[in-house]
């Protein structure tokens, strides 16, 4: 789960992708291309992660109740969320254009990992 030298915005992008995948697994629909929702996290990452963490509790419960491969994938993604939160303070400030590009890279990286691991469950 390490991010090497990609930096904090890249790591926040990966974290946000995990939240979005968990939400999609709970809903049973593709939520991953909602760019407006993704970009909302680039303004005050800390505040948005706090909100996403609260929502994650409902998402993991709903996804696990569905059973099967969806429940297994959700458990792993939920675990990843804990690992993707860096053990350091998170910014409450807005990201600049370069940081947003790094955030998007991290988001796409994590999405690709989940698509490879979970196939059709992650559209």
């Amino acid at each position: 789960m390490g991010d090497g030298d990609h930096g904090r915005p890249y790591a926040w992008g990966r974290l946000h992708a995990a939240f979005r995948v968990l939400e999609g697994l709970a809903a049973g629909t593709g939520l991953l291309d909602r760019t407006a929702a993704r970009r909302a996290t680039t303004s005050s990452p800390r505040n948005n992660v706090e909100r996403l963490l609260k929502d994650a509790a409902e998402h993991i419960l709903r996804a696990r109740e569905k059973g099967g491969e969806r429940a297994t994938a959700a458990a792993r993604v939920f675990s990843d969320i804990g690992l993707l939160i860096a053990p350091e303070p998170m910014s409450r400030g807005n990201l600049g254009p370069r940081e947003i590009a790094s955030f998007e890279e991290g988001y796409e990286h994590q999405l690709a990992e989940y698509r490879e691991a979970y196939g059709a469950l992650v559209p």
Side-chain angles (χ1 to χ4, degrees):
M1 289 277 120
D3 291 308
D5 61 354
H6 289 287
R8 289 178 180 173
Y10 184 89
W12 298 333
R14 290 186 68 192
L15 174 61
H16 190 65
F19 281 119
R20 300 301 293 168
V21 167
L22 181 61
E23 183 180 1
L25 290 168
T29 61
L31 301 169
L32 305 174
D33 294 324
R34 290 175 28 192
T35 305
R38 185 185 328 176
R39 289 208 187 279
T41 304
T42 63
S43 61
S44 187
R46 167 74 187 234
N47 293 346
N48 283 290
V49 166
E50 288 172 353
R51 177 186 50 78
L52 290 167
L53 278 168
K54 290 175 186 171
D55 294 344
E58 180 184 341
H59 297 320
I60 186 64
L61 179 61
R62 287 178 43 215
R64 294 289 292 169
E65 287 175 336
K66 293 180 186 306
E69 292 178 10
R70 183 174 302 277
T72 301
R76 291 184 183 142
V77 172
F78 190 71
S79 174
D80 287 350
I81 289 170
L83 296 171
L84 287 166
I85 297 171
E88 60 188 25
M90 188 177 290
S91 174
R92 289 192 189 274
N94 295 339
L95 304 184
R98 196 174 331 188
E99 293 168 314
I100 290 172
S102 182
F103 177 97
E104 290 291 333
E105 275 184 64
Y107 185 94
E108 293 301 327
H109 170 112
Q110 194 65 33
L111 222 68
E113 284 189 10
Y114 288 141
R115 285 181 173 140
E116 184 176 327
Y118 308 122
L121 291 174
V122 182

